[in-house]
Amino acid sequence: QVQLVESGGGLVQAGDSLRLSCAASGRTFSKHAMGWFRQAPGKEREFVASISWSGGTYYADSVKGRFTISRDNAKNTVYLQMNSLKPEDTAVYFCAAPALAGIGPHPQYEYEYDYWGQGTQVTVSS
């Protein structure tokens, strides 16, 4: 059974940093793109960042220059380093992976992903 488990969320102040982790189990995703999404209260889930199997990255305009996605294929884990956090970054953050290795290189739509984590809450106070 495939599982994606996010961790690293929390309550921080504006300007602080957080590093989210997403550990995958049940299969290896070393040849798959991986992505991060977020959902703020009362809003639809939105794309944040993706990373191709070879390490190429793609970001939503709202986080470009502040967030960095990375991966460690040996650990089957993807990360999201979030710097200069803003109150508008408050959301539940989800990692996701497609079932097929050929999806990508930078999938940014929910329908392109098949596996989802349960999410981790990030709250940024002003």
Side-chain angles (χ1 to χ4, degrees), residues 58-107:
Y58 184 76
Y59 300 94
D61 287 344
S62 59
V63 306
K64 201 173 297 182
R66 300 187 298 121
F67 291 11
T68 303
I69 187 172
S70 61
R71 65 190 300 161
D72 184 337
N73 287 336
K75 295 182 178 180
N76 218 20
T77 298
V78 64
Y79 305 97
L80 186 68
Q81 177 66 43
M82 306 186 295
N83 298 330
S84 303
L85 282 162
K86 304 176 181 180
E88 51 263 45
D89 294 319
T90 295
V92 178
Y93 284 71
F94 301 88
C95 71
L100 299 178
I103 300 297
H106 297 300

Side-chain angles (χ1 to χ4, degrees), residues 19-118:
R19 187 195 195 204
L20 305 184
S21 299
C22 172
S25 61
R27 65 177 295 181
T28 181
F29 290 99
S30 60
K31 295 299 184 183
H32 297 66
M34 300 284 289
W36 284 97
F37 288 74
R38 67 186 181 185
Q39 187 168 21
K43 295 187 177 181
E44 295 188 350
R45 190 155 53 184
E46 64 175 2
F47 170 79
V48 174
S50 65
I51 185 166
S52 69
W53 69 271
S54 60
T57 58
Y58 184 76
Y59 300 94
D61 287 344
S62 59
V63 306
K64 201 173 297 182
R66 300 187 298 121
F67 291 11
T68 303
I69 187 172
S70 61
R71 65 190 300 161
D72 184 337
N73 287 336
K75 295 182 178 180
N76 218 20
T77 298
V78 64
Y79 305 97
L80 186 68
Q81 177 66 43
M82 306 186 295
N83 298 330
S84 303
L85 282 162
K86 304 176 181 180
E88 51 263 45
D89 294 319
T90 295
V92 178
Y93 284 71
F94 301 88
C95 71
L100 299 178
I103 300 297
H106 297 300
Q108 56 182 299
Y109 301 103
E110 291 186 54
Y111 70 82
E112 297 180 282
Y113 293 88
D114 301 284
Y115 303 113
W116 294 83
Q118 81 290 347

